[in-house]
Amino acid sequence: MLVFADNAWHVFAGLIVFAAGLTIALSQRKIFGVPVKRATMLYLWHSFFCVFYFWYSLNDAADSTLYYLSSLDYEADFRFGTSGIYFIVSFLSQGLNFSYGNAFLVFNIFGYIGLLAFASALQTVTASSRRYIRTLSVLFLYLPGLSFWSSAIGKDALTFMAAGLVTWAALDIGRRMPAIVLGAALFLLPRPHMAGILLISLCLALLVSSSLGILKKLALLAIAIPLSIVGAQFGLSYAGLGDASGFSDISDYFETRQGYNLGGGSSVDIAGMSIPMRLFTYMFRPLLFDADGVMGLVVSVENLALLLLFLAALFRKKRTRSDLGRFAFMFYLIFAIASWFVLANTTANLGIAIRQKTMFLPMLVVLLFSMWKGVSKKSTNKEART
């Protein structure tokens, strides 16, 4: 039952789905502008982790297994949250008779599109940076964790696709608004509270942004404000705060969440930590000193790279202006900080945190690279001549 392929249809379907992803890699240039060679390498890299995760799920506990097995006899109506994933996977397993491996390849494409959009945004903001910064930005695309978690059946592939698309779209919101809408829908399906944070961040960024004309700003606000209110209410209801009447109810909810998931080996007692320590723990741990096993070591190296990028952007010697427009800068900043704060104060398990932070990591990384900008010699010479 949990096989990659056990008949001719599964083999054929697997080849078609893999070819569809490769076609996206070869034909995306007009949309994302990523060099075809890099896009193809990223697809093969991402697909490697898809196969690895498939093998991993057969030998260790994984949500992907539960999603697929439950989908085989799932008959409930469409609902947001976990049930939404069951609904999608049931369409693949029951409707298309896809195998476990076939379904993995479909979700692999979802995650890859997010990675591709992330690559495009990074390429844009580092275009005038020094060569070593551009090279480091490309290396961030190959962080194993990003491709590992976003290549499997589950929520993470959809939310990473949403994060990548929204990161890319914010750089030119006037022309890429449909990608923002799609990203919000992709967040809403598995994690409605993130859609609420996204829409609220969008509204706040529009209010303080001066890069858009007054008519465009008013039109976008007219759409975004009602949607953000609905999204926030839906997200609170999904999180169990539909009847919250004040700050005390929300505070009680945070305290309750801080005691969840304390049974695993990667759990931490965040209830006894200060807020800055919770934020640091959520984003940058495990580090090398508390890594557990091979996978823990890999994650700790990724966290160290992220920490070094954070410090490089924060304490750069030469103050250079970010290449981001005012809207994109404010949107990334608000969404990343709000997501980081909420998730860090409600997540007591580092294993879960590693997966969750992929929902806002593309925005944070693009923001940091836009701040850590060493202007290239070519750009400096051009400015000197003018």
Side-chain angles (χ1 to χ4, degrees):
M1 187 175 293
L2 294 177
V3 296
F4 211 94
D6 62 357
N7 57 50
W9 164 244
H10 290 162
V11 174
F12 178 73
L15 291 174
I16 291 297
V17 175
F18 181 81
L22 189 59
T23 300
I24 292 173
L26 297 174
S27 61
Q28 53 71 44
R29 190 67 188 266
K30 290 183 178 179
I31 298 175
F32 294 115
V34 178
V36 172
K37 183 178 179 180
R38 181 178 300 169
T40 304
M41 288 298 296
L42 286 173
Y43 181 62
L44 295 177
W45 173 260
H46 202 268
S47 298
F48 165 78
F49 282 98
C50 175
V51 175
F52 177 74
Y53 201 126
F54 170 83
W55 170 83
Y56 170 84
S57 70
L58 298 179
N59 298 278
D60 292 271
D63 292 341
S64 301
T65 304
L66 177 62
Y67 285 129
Y68 185 78
L69 292 177
S70 299
S71 76
L72 296 175
D73 54 5
Y74 185 78
E75 297 180 355
D77 294 332
F78 174 82
R79 287 178 292 173
F80 295 105
T82 301
S83 295
I85 304 299
Y86 289 149
F87 183 86
I88 293 176
V89 182
S90 68
F91 171 76
L92 299 175
S93 62
Q94 296 183 46
L96 299 178
N97 192 27
F98 274 15
S99 69
Y100 185 49
N102 293 157
F104 253 86
L105 290 176
V106 172
F107 277 81
N108 179 54
I109 292 178
F110 294 152
Y112 170 66
I113 292 173
L115 185 62
L116 199 57
F118 178 33
S120 178
L122 264 182
Q123 178 177 281
T124 299
V125 301
T126 60
S128 60
S129 298
R130 289 188 179 274
R131 184 174 182 178
Y132 76 94
I133 293 181
R134 296 199 304 271
T135 300
L136 287 173
S137 71
V138 172
L139 292 179
F140 263 79
L141 298 173
Y142 290 93
L143 290 178
L146 292 180
S147 293
F148 180 75
W149 296 114
S150 64
S151 65
I153 300 170
K155 298 178 180 179
D156 300 309
L158 294 178
T159 55
F160 185 68
M161 178 180 173
L165 286 175
V166 168
T167 302
W168 170 76
L171 294 174
D172 189 0
I173 189 174
R175 293 191 297 174
R176 299 173 182 174
M177 193 62 183
I180 293 279
V181 175
L182 177 58
L186 289 169
F187 271 128
L188 181 64
L189 175 62
R191 294 193 170 107
H193 57 292
M194 294 304 298
I197 294 175
L198 171 67
L199 292 171
I200 291 173
S201 302
L202 177 65
C203 284
L204 292 176
L206 286 171
L207 284 173
V208 300
S209 172
S210 60
S211 60
L212 295 175
I214 186 65
L215 294 179
K216 283 187 177 181
K217 187 183 295 187
L218 290 175
L220 290 172
L221 282 174
I223 299 172
I225 289 177
L227 286 176
S228 66
I229 294 173
V230 173
Q233 291 176 339
F234 193 89
L236 289 173
S237 298
Y238 174 78
L241 280 168
D243 297 326
S245 58
F247 179 79
S248 61
D249 292 333
I250 297 176
S251 179
D252 290 342
Y253 171 78
F254 271 51
E255 291 179 4
T256 301
R257 289 287 305 179
Q258 289 167 9
Y260 286 4
N261 303 116
L262 286 175
S266 58
S267 61
V268 289
D269 183 15
I270 63 173
M273 296 180 181
S274 63
I275 290 179
M277 191 61 190
R278 289 175 197 164
L279 294 173
F280 181 88
T281 297
Y282 182 88
M283 183 63 67
F284 303 117
R285 288 184 59 194
L287 285 172
L288 296 176
F289 63 86
D290 59 351
D292 183 19
V294 176
M295 292 190 69
L297 183 61
V298 172
V299 172
S300 68
V301 172
E302 291 186 359
N303 287 339
L304 180 60
L306 182 60
L307 177 59
L308 292 175
L309 173 63
F310 192 87
L311 294 175
L314 198 61
F315 299 108
R316 63 197 186 281
K317 290 182 179 179
K318 184 178 180 180
R319 295 286 167 178
T320 52
R321 187 175 181 180
S322 169
D323 271 346
L324 295 176
R326 184 169 175 79
F327 168 78
F329 183 88
M330 294 306 302
F331 179 63
Y332 291 165
L333 187 65
I334 294 168
F335 184 82
I337 290 177
S339 302
W340 187 358
F341 180 84
V342 170
L343 295 173
N345 283 281
T346 56
T347 307
N349 187 289
L350 296 181
I352 295 175
I354 292 166
R355 297 166 56 181
Q356 284 183 343
K357 66 187 180 184
T358 59
M359 295 187 291
F360 64 90
L361 206 54
M363 295 183 196
L364 181 61
V365 170
V366 171
L367 178 63
L368 293 174
F369 267 107
S370 75
M371 294 168 62
W372 182 43
K373 180 193 173 193
V375 182
S376 66
K377 292 181 179 179
K378 182 178 179 181
S379 298
T380 304
N381 294 336
K382 183 178 180 180
E383 290 176 3
R385 289 195 300 271
T386 57

